[in-house]
């Protein structure tokens, strides 16, 4: 395989973001606004345990306090919504993370809507996602923002760039499309009803794929020199045991792509770093909100 592609190392980009976050966290502490995250897990703790540990480790390395809370799967909806509302009004809490999966009687979407937009560090509240449409990004969905960050790191000019996004989920595919359109890119979004995905991907300067299907994108579906951002995370069985792969067939795509993300080590680390950066943004927004409210009441 010719070594013509450049690997988009997410770990390197994430390290740069974390360094900036650590500096911002220290500055906020000096202002009397320490940053703190609260993680909420419900039911099967093992399902999200790895994500929680990774988030906690990354947060604490940057000086962000992290509290992991776990609730039994039969917790009532009203009780949990009350807990979230309590965290919303607690000035000591900068951000709330809702771990997935959640029990059937507690839909993640309903819980995410309950988290106050200023504490929605995952960027999944309808208000925060809606801000992307108006090009007023504050805290966008972490994975979508991370994926676009990786594209920007290549140095390509986004104005007029032809982009194909494969996958149109509300928290990844669609936000990526709107983020890129705000930068002047021309975006095509493919989904399960698209008749010929390859026709669209072959004409694109950059391809994003987030479907959850191993090997969906192959080298013959790419324009030579295109940027490939693989957001998929899938576990497959191989002769050497379980292996984590993306939605793209790395070997064949690497023969054609100009830039390509590895899985793991691509979008994942930048997603966690984006969560931390959102946490700083959340703390600043809350600081300004409280300052505004206090000043208003004092002057009145």
């Amino acid at each position: 395989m010719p070594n013509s592609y450049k690997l988009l190392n997410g770990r390197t980009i994430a390290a740069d973001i974390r360094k900036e976050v650590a500096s911002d966290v220290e500055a906020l502490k000096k202002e009397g606004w320490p940053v703190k995250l609260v993680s909420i897990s419900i039911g099967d703790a093992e399902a999200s345990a790895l994500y929680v540990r990774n988030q906690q480790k990354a947060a604490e390395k940057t000086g962000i306090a992290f509290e992991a809370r776990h609730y039994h799967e039969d917790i009532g909806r009203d009780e949990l919504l009350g807990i979230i509302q309590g965290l919303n009004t607690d000035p000591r809490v900068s951000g709330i993370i809702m771990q997935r999966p959640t029990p059937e009687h507690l839909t993640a979407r309903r819980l995410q809507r309950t988290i106050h937009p200023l504490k929605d560090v995952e960027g999944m509240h309808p208000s925060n996602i809606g801000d992307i449409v108006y090009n007023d990004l504050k805290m966008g969905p972490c994975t979508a923002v991370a994926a676009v960050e990786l594209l920007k790191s290549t140095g390509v000019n986004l104005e007029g760039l032809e982009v194909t996004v494969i996958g149109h989920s509300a928290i990844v595919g669609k936000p990526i499309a709107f983020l890129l359109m705000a930068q002047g890119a021309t975006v095509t979004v493919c989904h399960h009803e698209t008749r010929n995905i390859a026709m669209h991907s072959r004409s694109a300067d950059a391809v994003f794929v987030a479907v959850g299907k191993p090997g969906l994108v192959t080298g013959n579906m790419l324009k030579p020199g295109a940027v490939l951002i693989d957001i998929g995370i899938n576990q497959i069985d191989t002769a050497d045991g379980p292996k984590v792969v993306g939605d793209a067939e790395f070997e064949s795509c690497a023969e054609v792509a100009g830039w390509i993300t590895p899985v793991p080590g691509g979008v994942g680390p930048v997603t966690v770093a984006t969560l931390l950066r959102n946490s700083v943004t959340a703390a600043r927004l809350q600081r300004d909100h409280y300052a505004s409210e206090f000043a208003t009441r004092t002057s009145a």
Side-chain angles (χ1 to χ4, degrees):
M1 179 180 67
N3 189 22
S4 59
Y5 70 93
K6 295 181 181 179
L7 198 67
L8 284 168
N9 191 331
R11 292 188 174 94
T12 301
I13 296 170
D16 291 338
I17 295 174
R18 288 197 305 269
K19 183 177 180 180
E20 180 182 344
V21 167
S23 176
D24 292 340
V25 168
E26 184 60 29
L28 282 164
K29 282 182 180 178
K30 291 179 180 178
E31 294 179 32
W33 281 94
V35 184
K36 178 181 178 180
L37 297 178
V38 173
S39 163
I40 296 177
S41 302
I42 310 161
D44 183 10
E46 288 302 315
S48 60
L50 179 60
Y51 292 105
V52 174
R53 286 196 298 269
N54 288 342
Q55 290 167 356
Q56 181 166 8
K57 185 184 299 183
E60 292 177 346
K61 282 184 177 179
T62 60
I64 296 175
F66 192 97
E67 178 185 345
R69 297 190 180 187
H70 178 259
Y71 298 98
H72 196 271
E73 63 181 2
D74 62 2
I75 186 172
R77 186 186 68 176
D78 291 343
E79 180 181 357
L80 185 58
L81 294 182
I83 290 170
I84 294 174
Q85 292 290 10
L87 295 172
N88 283 339
T89 58
D90 188 343
R92 298 167 298 180
V93 176
S94 308
I96 304 167
I97 305 170
M98 183 60 58
Q99 304 294 344
R100 291 159 181 74
T102 57
E104 290 185 6
H105 71 290
L106 298 169
T107 61
R109 184 177 179 183
R110 172 65 189 275
L111 297 176
Q112 203 70 50
R113 291 173 67 95
T114 306
I115 297 172
H116 194 285
L118 294 183
K119 298 198 176 188
D120 170 40
V121 292
E122 294 181 280
M124 293 182 185
H125 189 282
S127 175
N128 286 325
I129 293 179
D131 282 342
I132 299 175
V133 178
Y134 295 99
N135 196 20
D136 186 26
L137 179 66
K138 297 182 181 70
M139 293 184 290
C142 297
T143 302
V145 172
V148 174
E149 187 92 23
L150 280 159
L151 176 60
K152 289 180 177 179
S153 73
T154 66
V156 299
N157 183 8
L158 297 187
E159 293 183 0
L161 195 73
E162 295 281 346
V163 180
T164 292
V165 179
I166 304 172
H168 72 319
S169 72
I171 60 175
V172 182
K174 290 177 182 175
I176 286 175
F178 282 111
L179 287 167
L180 291 170
M181 285 191 288
Q183 299 292 320
T186 300
V187 184
T188 298
V189 179
C190 299
H191 44 75
H192 64 282
E193 298 288 351
T194 302
R195 295 178 181 176
N196 191 339
I197 293 176
M199 180 184 72
H200 299 287
S201 62
R202 286 195 196 105
S203 65
D205 303 308
V207 175
F208 292 76
V209 57
V211 176
K213 185 176 180 181
L216 175 64
V217 176
T218 55
N220 62 4
M221 296 173 63
L222 300 177
K223 174 198 284 188
V227 181
L228 176 60
I229 309 295
D230 189 352
I231 306 165
I233 301 178
N234 311 285
Q235 183 169 296
I236 62 172
D237 294 324
T238 69
D240 299 321
K243 180 182 179 181
V244 175
V245 299
D247 287 345
E249 188 180 82
F250 186 89
E251 289 75 14
S252 66
C253 289
E255 293 181 354
V256 182
W259 297 83
I260 187 171
T261 55
V263 178
V267 177
V270 186
T271 297
V272 176
T274 301
L275 174 72
L276 303 180
R277 186 166 57 189
N278 278 355
S279 302
V280 168
T281 300
R284 284 174 172 161
L285 289 172
Q286 290 163 55
R287 175 199 61 190
D288 296 345
H289 172 74
Y290 279 107
S292 174
E293 285 293 302
F294 180 77
T296 300
R297 292 177 182 178
T298 301
S299 60

